[in-house]
């Protein structure tokens, strides 16, 4: 929960998407508990129903602990990942959060992902307009600038730093189609995980 808040999740739907196994009722109770303990500030969304949740200073000071846990996981636990551990919805949420709009060209950029190893929700779109980044599972009806065709595991491996875009393309595990200005250096506008440079325990 705190990890999702510190990674930029503010709305109930965003937090629930990042915590895939939690029920709406349990999520509401935990947010209320965090608010009661001064870790979360709820603010009503203007002209809409619902609230946005923001980490307070005391919550933000937990960031070094969250980072340390992430580093431990990348070093000691990632070798135990199986195919069932790769969740496309969670992956796409993290890819959305990794977008740097300021490094893209033009007022709007549409990125399409097609995952060849799943039948449920194999197609995803990220729409970047100005500083806003939206994630879609339905065709937004806009012209696509960059196409990614791959498997969920390959895309996750690239994002986590276990391989690179260039190596995945060379191995025919990933296809990236679009103008050279966008495909030459994807990581400049869709940053890899902050733990991507963390070597596993076997390499230490």
């Amino acid at each position: 929960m705190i990890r999702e808040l510190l990674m930029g999740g503010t709305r109930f739907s965003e937090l629930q998407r990042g915590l895939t196994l939690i029920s709406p009722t349990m999520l509401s109770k935990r947010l209320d508990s965090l608010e009661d303990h001064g870790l979360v500030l709820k603010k009503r969304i203007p002209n809409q129903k619902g609230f946005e949740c923001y980490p307070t200073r005391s919550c933000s000071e937990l960031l070094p602990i969250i980072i340390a846990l992430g580093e431990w996981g990348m070093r000691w636990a990632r070798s135990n990942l199986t195919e069932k551990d790769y969740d496309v919805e969670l992956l796409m949420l993290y890819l959305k959060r990794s977008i740097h709009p300021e490094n893209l060209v033009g007022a709007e950029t549409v990125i399409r992902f097609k995952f060849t190893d799943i039948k449920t929700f194999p197609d995803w779109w990220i729409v970047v307009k100005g500083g806003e980044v939206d994630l879609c599972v339905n065709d937004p009806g806009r012209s696509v600038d960059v196409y990614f065709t791959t498997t969920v595991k390959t895309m996750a491996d690239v994002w986590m730093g276990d391989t690179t875009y260039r190596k995945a393309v060379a191995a025919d595990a990933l296809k990236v189609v679009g103008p050279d200005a966008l495909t030459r250096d994807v990581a400049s506008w869709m940053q890899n995980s902050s733990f991507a440079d963390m070597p596993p325990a076997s390499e230490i």
Side-chain angles (χ1 to χ4, degrees):
M1 173 80 70
I2 289 175
R3 178 200 66 193
E4 294 304 310
L5 288 164
L6 294 178
M7 289 186 67
T10 60
R11 300 200 176 192
F12 192 91
S13 58
E14 292 176 324
L15 296 172
Q16 189 174 24
R17 191 178 295 148
L19 302 165
T20 54
L21 299 180
I22 196 169
S23 69
T25 300
M26 181 60 70
L27 177 56
S28 294
K29 288 182 178 179
R30 290 190 178 178
L31 284 172
D32 289 342
S33 177
L34 290 175
E35 184 181 29
D36 290 342
H37 287 83
L39 294 168
V40 167
L41 174 65
K42 289 183 179 179
K43 299 182 71 174
R44 187 172 293 278
I45 303 172
N47 303 317
Q48 296 184 41
K49 293 183 179 181
F51 295 83
E52 287 185 313
C53 300
Y54 296 93
T56 61
R57 181 177 177 182
S58 61
C59 183
S60 297
E61 289 184 0
L62 291 170
L63 182 59
I65 298 173
I66 300 297
I67 291 174
L69 287 171
E71 290 175 346
W72 181 91
M74 289 296 288
R75 179 172 288 143
W76 296 101
R78 65 177 168 178
S79 61
N80 297 322
L81 289 174
T82 66
E83 294 287 341
K84 294 181 180 180
D85 294 316
Y86 291 89
D87 184 300
V88 66
E89 190 171 356
L90 196 57
L91 171 64
M92 290 308 303
L93 176 63
Y94 286 144
L95 291 179
K96 173 195 170 187
R97 292 175 176 174
S98 300
I99 297 290
H100 287 262
E102 69 276 9
N103 293 334
L104 288 167
V105 180
E108 181 178 273
T109 303
V110 179
I111 307 128
R112 179 174 180 175
F113 297 80
K114 185 173 185 64
F115 295 104
T116 58
D117 57 333
I118 55 175
K119 293 182 179 180
T120 303
F121 297 124
D123 299 296
W124 294 75
W125 290 260
I126 293 178
V127 180
V128 186
K129 189 171 184 178
E132 297 293 321
V133 183
D134 291 319
L135 182 61
C136 311
V137 293
N138 296 313
D139 190 343
R142 292 181 169 92
S143 177
V144 175
D145 298 286
V146 182
Y147 294 84
F148 288 83
T149 305
T150 186
T151 64
V152 175
K153 182 180 185 304
T154 296
M155 197 69 223
D157 286 347
V158 171
W159 184 74
M160 291 192 297
D162 290 333
T163 188
T164 65
Y165 287 103
R166 183 171 296 181
K167 288 180 181 178
V169 169
D172 202 28
L174 168 67
K175 292 182 180 179
V176 184
V177 178
D180 190 56
L182 293 174
T183 60
R184 186 189 312 113
D185 185 11
V186 173
S188 68
W189 51 266
M190 188 164 66
Q191 187 177 4
N192 286 348
S193 165
S194 57
F195 304 114
D197 295 328
M198 180 66 59
S202 59
E203 294 181 9
I204 300 176

